[in-house]
Amino acid sequence: MDLARTEVAPRRSRKESATRIGLMALPVAFFAAFFAYPVAAIVARGLKIDGAWRFGRIGEVLAQSDIRHVLWFTTWQALASTALTLLIALPGAYVFARFDFRGKQVLRAVVTVPFVLPTVVVGTAFLALVGRGGLLDQLWGVRLDTTVWAILLAHVFFNYAVVVRTVGGLWSQLDPRQEEAARMLGASRFAAWRRVTLPALSPAVAAAALMVFLFTFTSFGVVQILGGPTFSTLEVEIYRQTSEIFDLATAAVLTIVQFVAVGAILAVHAWSVRRRETALRLVAPEVTVRRPRGAGQWALLGGVLASILVLLVLPLGVLVQRSLDAPGGYGFAYYKALTSADSGIFLVAPIAAIGNSLEYALAATAIAVVIGGLAAAALTRRTGRLVRGFDALLMLPLGVSAVTVGFGFLIALDEPPLDLRSSWILVPLAQALVGVPFVVRTMLPVLRAVDGRLREAAAVLGASPWRVWREVDLPLVRRALLIAAGFAFAVSLGEFGATVFIARPDNPTLPVAVARLLGRAGDLNYGQAMALSTILMVVCAVALLLLERIRTDRTGEF
C-alpha cells in the first residue's frame, strides 16, 4: 500500500505540473505577442541606430535637466498622492469594514465608479469643477486647473476605492475580540488599535499604498488634462516625445526607466500580498459588522459620508451639470450635437463612439476572461518561483506605459503573421491587456478557496482536468467570473493610453473622442466632451451597481 502511494504521488505531481504549464501556455503566448513584443519593438527602434545598440543614449537622456524635472515630478506627485489618498480613504475603509448602514451597497458602488472611469474623464470632471468657468471659478474665482493640488485631488478621487476595498476587505475579517482583549488588560482604545489592529492591517495598507503609487506614478490622462504645459509625468512625456516630437530614442529611455520602476513596485507588492495571505487569523465579515453605536461612531460615519460627497460625488455632479449648461439655457443641446459630424474632428458623428466603445469592450472582455481565467486556474497553487513570476507578468500591463504599448502595436504588428494594424481587433487586444489583471485578481482568491479535495476526488474518479474545471470549479466560481467580466468590461471601456494611438478616425472610442473634443477650442466642443464623459460615467456606474448586486464578500480583491 505504501509503495503504491509513493508511486502515485509523483505521477500526480507531474500531472499537476503538466496541467499548470498547459494552462499557462495561452496567456504566456498572448502576453508575448501583444505586450512584450510591441514594447521591445519600440525600445529597439529608439536605441538601435544602423543596426547597433546605443545604450549610451540612456545616460544622455537622463542627464537632460527637463527629463530630470519630469522624473522628480513623477515621483514626488506619486508619493504625495499616495499619502493624501491613505489619509482620506482609511477612515472610509474602517466604516465600510465595521459599520452596517442603509444604502451601504449602493455607496460601495459609488465609491468604485471613479476607479473604473477613464482617466481622461476624471481629468474632465475636475476640469469642470476647478478649471476655467468651473464651479469654484464661478462661485469664488478660484481656479486650480493647472496646479499640483488639482492633480493630487484627482488622484485621490481615482484611487479612493483601491484603499477602501484592499484595506477594508481585510479589516472586515479581523477578529475584533483581539483588540477587545487588549482593552480589558488595560490598554487605551488608541493603544489597542496601534498594537493589535495596525500590525495586522499593515500588509493590506502596504499593498494598497503600492497600488496607489503605481497608478499615480504612471498617471496619464489626469496629468495631461490638468497639468497643462507645466507638469508632466513619465507617461505624459513618453506620449509627447512619441507623438509630438517624434524622438523615439528619448521615449525608449523613459520607457525603460518606467519599466524598471514598475517592476520594483510590483515585486514589493507581491511580497506584501503574500504576507497578508499567510500571517493573519481571519473571521467571517458578518461577525465584525454592526450598526454604529455612540456619538463618536455616528460622527465618523457622517464625516466619511461628507468626504465621499465632496471628493467623489461632487466632481461627477459638476460633470453632469456642465454637460447640460448650454448657451441657450439648461437642456440637452450638447447631447443633440453629438449626432452631427459637422465639427470636422471626426469622420463620423461623435455619438458613434458609444457604439464603437461597447463593441470593442465586449470583445476585449471575452478575450480578458479567457486569458485571465486560464491564468487564474494556473495560479491556484501558491508555491513556486514559476507561479510567482507568472503572477508578476500578468500585473505588468497595469504599470508599463500604455502609450508605449499602443505605439508599439503600430510599429510591430504590421507584418505577417501578426499584420493587424488595419484590423478592428487591435483595439480590443490593447484593452484586454488591461482587463486581464482584474480578471485574475478577482477570480484567484475564490479559486484558492475551493477545497482541493473536491478536485482530487473528481480526478480519482477519472475526470479529465477540463471536466474537473467544468463540474467542480465553475459552479463554485461562477459569481466571481461574472464580476471579473464586469470589471474587465468597465476598464476596457475606459482604456485610453494605448487606444489613443490605434483607434481609427472613423471608429473612435469614447475616451479618445472626449480627449479630441477637449483638444479643440470652443464651447460646443467642450460641452460635447462633457456630454460624452457623462454618458461614459453612467454606463460605468450601471455596470458597477449590477456587480454589487451579485457580489459576495469572498469574490476577490476588486
Side-chain angles (χ1 to χ4, degrees):
M1 180 69 71
D2 292 338
L3 180 61
R5 288 180 179 175
T6 57
E7 291 177 351
V8 169
R11 286 202 299 268
R12 181 180 299 170
S13 179
R14 287 194 296 269
K15 187 175 181 180
E16 289 179 353
S17 298
T19 301
R20 188 181 301 115
I21 292 173
L23 291 171
M24 288 182 182
L26 185 58
V28 168
F30 176 80
F31 275 81
F34 302 114
F35 178 69
Y37 178 47
V39 171
I42 192 70
V43 171
R45 181 69 65 93
L47 295 182
K48 250 187 176 182
I49 300 178
D50 297 328
W53 288 93
R54 284 196 58 197
F55 292 106
R57 180 62 178 156
I58 297 177
E60 296 173 7
V61 171
L62 296 181
Q64 299 175 19
S65 59
D66 55 337
I67 297 299
R68 290 201 304 272
H69 176 75
V70 169
L71 291 172
W72 164 247
F73 176 73
T74 301
T75 306
W76 179 88
Q77 64 82 26
L79 289 171
S81 296
T82 302
L84 190 60
T85 303
L86 289 175
L87 179 66
I88 294 175
L90 281 176
Y94 176 80
V95 164
F96 279 102
R98 296 299 201 199
F99 293 167
D100 182 26
F101 53 91
R102 188 183 300 274
K104 180 179 177 179
Q105 190 180 59
V106 174
L107 191 64
R108 186 187 294 273
V110 170
V111 165
T112 311
V113 166
F115 180 68
V116 298
L117 282 179
T119 54
V120 66
V121 174
V122 174
T124 304
F126 273 80
L127 192 65
L129 178 63
V130 302
R132 175 181 56 85
L135 181 64
L136 296 185
D137 190 14
Q138 293 177 6
L139 295 179
W140 299 294
V142 177
R143 289 176 53 184
L144 302 174
D145 52 319
T146 57
T147 69
V148 176
W149 273 110
I151 296 173
L152 297 183
L153 291 175
H155 284 160
V156 173
F157 171 89
F158 184 76
N159 292 293
Y160 188 95
V162 176
V163 177
V164 167
R165 288 187 175 270
T166 304
V167 180
L170 178 62
W171 212 332
S172 67
Q173 294 178 280
L174 291 181
D175 192 343
R177 291 171 296 187
Q178 298 175 1
E179 187 173 324
E180 292 170 1
R183 295 199 64 196
M184 290 181 63
L185 293 174
S188 65
R189 183 182 297 275
F190 177 74
W193 180 84
R194 179 172 57 86
R195 295 177 181 177
V196 177
T197 303
L198 183 59
L201 280 178
S202 59
V205 174
L210 286 166
M211 290 308 296
V212 173
F213 183 85
L214 175 66
F215 291 137
T216 53
F217 187 84
T218 58
S219 182
F220 177 50
V222 167
V223 179
Q224 186 186 36
I225 292 175
L226 296 176
T230 307
F231 303 108
S232 178
T233 57
L234 270 173
E235 187 84 351
V236 174
E237 189 64 21
I238 290 171
Y239 176 77
R240 191 174 74 89
Q241 296 288 341
T242 302
S243 63
E244 298 177 9
I245 303 178
F246 303 107
D247 186 350
L248 294 186
T250 299
V253 170
L254 297 180
T255 297
I256 293 172
V257 172
Q258 184 165 305
F259 187 85
V260 171
V262 166
I265 295 168
L266 290 178
V268 178
H269 177 266
W271 173 77
S272 67
V273 168
R274 287 198 298 273
R275 283 187 60 204
R276 182 179 55 180
E277 289 179 344
T278 58
L280 297 172
R281 176 189 171 192
L282 304 178
V283 297
E286 292 80 6
V287 176
T288 67
V289 177
R290 63 181 185 273
R291 297 281 295 178
R293 293 178 297 186
Q297 291 188 355
W298 281 108
L300 176 61
L301 175 59
V304 168
L305 294 177
S307 67
I308 291 174
L309 180 64
V310 173
L311 289 173
L312 305 185
V313 178
L314 181 60
L316 299 179
V318 173
L319 185 67
V320 177
Q321 180 265 331
R322 293 302 299 272
S323 73
L324 297 172
D325 189 9
Y330 282 94
F332 294 94
Y334 290 138
Y335 290 88
K336 293 177 182 178
L338 296 175
T339 61
S340 174
D342 297 335
S343 63
I345 302 176
F346 306 103
L347 299 179
V348 294
I351 200 170
I354 300 173
N356 295 334
S357 288
L358 293 176
E359 292 174 1
Y360 287 145
L362 287 172
T365 300
I367 297 171
V369 167
V370 171
I371 300 298
L374 290 173
L379 290 168
T380 302
R381 293 291 294 269
R382 303 169 187 265
T383 58
R385 291 184 179 179
L386 178 63
V387 170
R388 292 196 294 269
F390 182 57
D391 195 5
L393 168 69
L394 297 173
M395 293 291 289
L396 279 177
L398 288 181
V400 173
S401 171
V403 170
T404 301
V405 174
F407 196 57
F409 270 30
L410 296 181
I411 290 178
L413 304 183
D414 62 344
E415 296 179 356
L418 293 175
D419 187 5
L420 303 175
R421 193 157 61 176
S422 60
S423 173
W424 68 273
I425 196 66
L426 208 59
V427 173
L429 287 172
Q431 294 173 340
L433 282 172
V434 182
V436 167
F438 288 90
V439 173
V440 174
R441 298 268 73 82
T442 302
M443 293 189 63
L444 187 56
V446 184
L447 284 171
R448 284 178 172 170
V450 176
D451 192 339
R453 291 173 294 184
L454 297 175
R455 299 189 185 101
E456 294 174 1
V460 168
L461 294 174
S464 65
W466 165 244
R467 189 173 181 184
V468 171
W469 161 255
R470 189 179 72 245
E471 298 188 7
V472 176
D473 291 280
L474 185 58
L476 296 173
V477 303
R478 185 181 291 115
R479 188 184 296 268
L481 185 63
L482 290 174
I483 293 173
F487 267 108
F489 176 80
V491 298
S492 298
L493 198 66
E495 203 289 320
F496 175 62
T499 310
V500 70
F501 277 98
I502 56 182
R504 291 161 50 179
D506 57 340
N507 285 295
T509 64
L510 274 170
V512 172
V514 170
R516 290 179 181 172
L517 286 166
L518 286 176
R520 297 287 292 267
D523 291 338
L524 178 61
N525 291 326
Y526 182 81
Q528 289 183 93
M530 296 294 169
L532 281 179
S533 297
T534 301
I535 292 172
L536 186 50
M537 177 194 70
V538 170
V539 172
C540 291
V542 170
L544 262 295
L545 286 171
L546 292 176
L547 290 183
E548 286 300 324
R549 290 185 64 86
I550 62 174
R551 172 181 291 279
T552 68
D553 287 325
R554 300 189 309 115
T555 51
E557 296 176 24
F558 289 98

